[in-house]
Amino acid sequence: MQSNQFYKNKALASLEGKWTKGIIATFIFLILTAGINWTITTPMGNDLVMSYSTSGIWTLLCLPLGWGFVVYFLRLIRDEDLGYGHLFDGYKDFLRIFIAGFLCELIEVIGFILLIVPGIIAAAGLVMTSFILKDDPTIGAIDAMKKSWQLTDGHKGELVWLLLSFFGWMILAGLTLGIGFLFLYPYMQSALAHAYEDLKAEKPEVSQFM
């Protein structure tokens, strides 16, 4: 892997002339996840059980959309078709994508509950799962997670620092009432996609069937 700045520069280069696509894709994703979640739970007021249950169900239903959003930026750096319909590709392969997304989220949450550090390591080790599922339509959810762990072996610390390097931007995005995330997410996801491409090239024995 290269330096954090290397992947950030690559992301900016890939986004040149495509910022509008990335921003609109992010807007669609945020409206369909956070926006609708807020809309359907706010009227429930103080009924916390119903509110949390509904929010949880909607979050689970949006897992394939989250996959489509992440993979959208792999398509972007590869100069592939960027039709917004690709955001919903995960629903065409719902079971495989849903299981992988659910298990990754579960492992990361458990890691954060037990201790923060294991959760961060788990997130770094599983971060390439979505990309692997796209590149290998035949691989199962658990095998994709295992392959992500292998692909990131020896680089989990670097991936953690890459993710943390966007923390300051996240704070600034929050200060803009969330508008900044329309720019931050394309930037961050494109950087991760470039890191994935490098890891694939570095470990052909892991990625040979992808």
Side-chain angles (χ1 to χ4, degrees), residues 7 74 78 128 131-133 135 151 191-201 207 210:
Y7 293 115
L74 184 61
R78 290 176 174 176
M128 302 302 173
F131 299 134
I132 293 168
L133 288 167
D135 280 345
L151 202 62
L192 283 173
H194 277 295
Y196 167 70
E197 295 286 62
D198 268 11
L199 287 174
K200 276 184 62 180
S207 61
M210 288 160 23

Side-chain angles (χ1 to χ4, degrees), residues 55-131:
S55 178
I57 291 171
W58 184 252
T59 299
L60 290 174
L61 290 175
C62 286
L63 286 177
L65 177 61
W67 177 84
F69 177 68
V70 170
V71 168
Y72 188 87
F73 292 96
L74 184 61
R75 300 181 67 87
L76 184 144
I77 71 164
R78 290 176 174 176
D79 292 320
E80 296 178 358
D81 176 55
L82 293 177
Y84 302 118
H86 288 297
L87 291 169
F88 305 94
D89 283 350
Y91 292 99
K92 299 175 184 177
D93 191 10
F94 183 84
L95 190 60
R96 190 174 70 112
I97 301 303
F98 177 84
I99 291 174
F102 177 77
L103 290 178
C104 285
E105 292 288 343
L106 182 63
I107 290 171
E108 290 167 18
V109 168
I110 291 174
F112 277 105
I113 289 174
L114 295 177
L115 285 170
I116 293 176
V117 173
I120 294 175
I121 294 174
L126 298 173
V127 72
M128 302 302 173
T129 302
S130 293
F131 299 134

Side-chain angles (χ1 to χ4, degrees), residues 159-179:
L159 286 167
V160 168
W161 285 118
L162 177 58
L163 293 169
L164 289 178
S165 70
F166 290 97
F167 186 70
W169 290 109
M170 290 180 185
I171 294 175
L172 289 176
L175 295 175
T176 64
L177 301 178
I179 295 174

